[in-house]
Amino acid sequence: MESFAKRIKELRVAAGYSQEKLAEQLEIAVKSIQRYEKGYRPDTYTLVKMATFFNVSTDYLLGLISYEKLIKEHQKLLLGGEGYNHL
């Protein structure tokens, strides 16, 4: 299971953000980003902010689901998959 620190860094680098730029986008201190990439976990509010920013689930960030499962979940949402109520 991948660690939160590794996933945050991978997402940041893939998006082309420096630690400073990501901190600015999330409206948190650069030191916080550095800590998260070293293994510290954010509070719930920041975790949700990060997941929303990167368009991933909190489960993915925490290492509870794999990237492949995340892609499948996104595809279900886009295609009106099972388990979701649509108006």
Side-chain angles (χ1 to χ4, degrees):
M1 184 171 3
E2 291 186 52
S3 71
F4 173 79
K6 184 176 180 182
R7 288 191 177 189
I8 286 297
K9 185 172 184 177
E10 285 175 350
L11 288 167
R12 177 182 62 76
V13 170
Y17 284 92
S18 64
Q19 289 179 336
E20 293 79 11
K21 187 67 176 174
L22 180 58
E24 181 182 312
Q25 291 293 312
L26 296 174
E27 299 176 336
I28 60 176
V30 175
K31 195 73 168 168
S32 295
I33 298 295
Q34 292 168 344
R35 286 182 183 133
Y36 302 150
E37 290 186 5
K38 288 182 180 176
Y40 289 87
R41 296 259 175 113
D43 58 56
T44 304
Y45 178 75
T46 305
L47 178 66
V48 171
K49 236 178 157 175
M50 291 177 148
T52 302
F53 181 79
F54 288 117
N55 195 30
V56 297
S57 69
T58 54
D59 285 352
Y60 175 73
L61 288 180
L62 295 172
L64 300 175
I65 63 171
S66 68
Y67 183 74
E68 291 78 19
K69 186 171 180 179
L70 177 72
I71 295 300
K72 287 178 184 177
E73 287 181 5
H74 278 277
Q75 287 172 341
K76 280 183 184 178
L77 282 172
L78 291 173
L79 299 173
E82 298 171 25
Y84 299 95
N85 293 323
H86 296 282
L87 298 177

